[in-house]
């Protein structure tokens, strides 16, 4: 998505050489939200069980012995369960910079649930105009492109892990879980499960949102359409004045 949408993202023009992957992070993300409060805001969320296994795999794969590295951690080989306990206890001395950031609950990155993000104030209440799901990535990305009035919606694939090439994560992550690990991960991402509409049932990668959640998301989409309509009317009025 970062690669695909780069050409459409005016807010990143000051940093276009580095790309969105270096721009929309932490304080810079808050700065962009505050600078462009009327921009279309969207996010994609992921099943917490799957997301946690993915973060652990990448942390192990990218491990570095360089103490200045984003991926440096004292212990090289941590089992998923050991990693989960460190994350739950927020044992920052034993976690890498990557671990500290990417193990955070997803709601920490979504303005709907925060007045502050990464210690900085959001200037006004903001909500996402579109929330997609990783489990339904291609279809939801096509819907997003439709919202943004982008005709081409074929999503390119970048940075695919070796495991994903041979065995899709959606089929493989369940084998890592036992009842103890399930409880730990559910403790870490309790708010993600509750607020993003994911099931605590490990065998259900995706479920329909509850009626109230569906109504909230529908309202957001309708409000987005209304805002677009108002903008078009304003443009026509200004054109008429000219």
């Amino acid at each position: 998505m970062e690669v695909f949408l780069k050409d459409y993202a005016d807010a990143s023009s000051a940093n276009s050489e580095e790309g969105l992957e270096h721009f929309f992070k932490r304080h810079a993300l808050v700065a962009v939200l505050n600078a462009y409060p009327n921009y279309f805001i969207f996010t994609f969320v992921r099943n917490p069980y799957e997301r946690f296994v993915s973060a652990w795999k990448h942390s192990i794969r990218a491990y570095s012995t360089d103490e200045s590295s984003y991926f440096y951690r004292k212990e090289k080989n941590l089992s998923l369960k050991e990693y989960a306990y460190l994350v739950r206890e927020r044992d920052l001395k034993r976690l890498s910079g990557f671990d500290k950031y990417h193990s955070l609950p997803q709601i920490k990155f979504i303005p709907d649930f925060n007045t502050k993000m990464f210690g900085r104030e959001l200037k006004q209440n903001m909500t996402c105009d579109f929330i997609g799901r990783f489990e339904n990535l291609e279809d939801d990305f096509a819907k997003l492109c439709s919202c943004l009035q982008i005709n081409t919606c074929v999503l390119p694939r970048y940075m695919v892990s070796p495991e994903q090439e041979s065995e899709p994560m959606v089929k493989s992550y369940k084998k890592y879980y036992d009842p103890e690990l399930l409880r730990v991960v559910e403790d870490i991402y309790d708010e993600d499960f509750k607020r993003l509409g994911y099931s605590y049932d490990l065998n259900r990668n995706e479920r329909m949102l509850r009626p109230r959640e569906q109504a909230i998301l529908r309202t957001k989409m309708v409000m987005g359409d209304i805002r677009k309509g108002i903008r078009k009317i304003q443009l026509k009025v200004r054109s008429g004045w000219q």
Side-chain angles (χ1 to χ4, degrees):
M1 278 182 270
E2 292 168 351
V3 173
F4 180 92
L5 293 172
K6 181 177 178 181
D7 293 336
Y8 300 92
D10 296 337
S12 69
S13 59
N15 208 34
S16 57
E17 294 81 8
E18 295 188 49
L20 301 184
E21 66 273 17
H22 297 291
F23 194 71
F24 291 143
K25 284 187 176 180
R26 304 193 187 191
H27 296 157
L29 172 60
V30 180
V32 169
L33 289 172
N34 285 335
Y36 301 93
N38 294 322
Y39 267 43
F40 186 93
I41 302 174
F42 74 92
T43 190
F44 275 73
V45 296
R46 190 175 188 179
N47 181 325
Y49 295 124
E50 180 182 353
R51 177 174 176 260
F52 189 71
V53 172
S54 177
W56 167 72
K57 281 179 174 285
H58 190 65
S59 176
I60 297 299
R61 185 167 52 244
Y63 171 82
S64 172
T65 57
D66 179 359
E67 293 188 18
S68 65
S69 170
Y70 186 50
F71 291 95
Y72 170 75
R73 188 179 53 243
K74 290 182 178 180
E75 294 132 304
K76 179 179 181 180
N77 295 314
L78 289 172
S79 70
L80 180 59
K81 193 172 292 185
E82 290 171 331
Y83 187 72
Y85 276 110
L86 291 183
V87 169
R88 188 180 71 172
E89 302 305 321
R90 300 305 294 169
D91 193 341
L92 302 184
K93 292 182 179 179
R94 297 173 65 190
L95 293 172
S96 70
F98 170 86
D99 300 330
K100 296 170 189 176
Y101 184 66
H102 285 270
S103 64
L104 290 171
Q106 292 169 91
I107 62 168
K108 296 292 186 184
F109 302 88
I110 304 176
D112 300 55
F113 308 112
N114 301 279
T115 57
K116 278 186 177 182
M117 292 177 69
F118 312 113
R120 296 199 176 187
E121 293 278 353
L122 290 171
K123 290 183 178 179
Q124 56 183 284
N125 293 329
M126 299 179 189
T127 60
C128 287
D129 297 286
F130 182 88
I131 298 178
R133 290 179 180 266
F134 185 80
E135 300 78 32
N136 196 36
L137 182 59
E138 292 185 1
D139 288 345
D140 281 356
F141 186 72
K143 293 175 185 176
L144 172 65
C145 287
S146 177
C147 291
L148 298 174
Q149 299 181 353
I150 297 173
N151 294 326
T152 303
C153 58
V154 178
L155 188 62
R157 297 191 76 195
Y158 285 87
M159 299 177 67
V160 181
S161 69
E163 293 90 344
Q164 279 286 79
E165 290 286 9
S166 60
E167 182 180 22
M169 176 66 79
V170 72
K171 294 182 180 179
S172 64
Y173 75 90
K174 298 176 189 176
K175 66 186 179 185
Y176 292 96
Y177 283 93
D178 60 22
E180 179 185 359
L181 182 58
L182 282 173
R183 287 193 297 272
V184 176
V185 172
E186 288 164 3
D187 284 347
I188 298 170
Y189 299 115
D190 183 55
E191 288 299 307
D192 277 0
F193 281 105
K194 290 177 179 176
R195 297 192 181 202
L196 301 179
Y198 281 101
S199 172
Y200 288 99
D201 183 349
L202 183 64
N203 294 313
R204 297 180 67 184
N205 298 310
E206 181 183 8
R207 69 170 180 82
M208 292 297 294
L209 296 179
R210 292 186 290 269
R212 181 175 177 275
E213 294 166 338
Q214 291 178 347
I216 290 172
L217 292 182
R218 278 198 301 270
T219 299
K220 288 181 179 179
M221 295 301 295
V222 169
M223 292 305 297
D225 290 340
I226 291 173
R227 284 198 294 271
K228 288 179 186 176
I230 291 173
R231 289 171 193 159
K232 289 180 180 178
I233 292 171
Q234 289 172 336
L235 288 173
K236 288 181 180 178
V237 169
R238 289 171 187 164
S239 178
W241 287 341
Q242 292 172 356

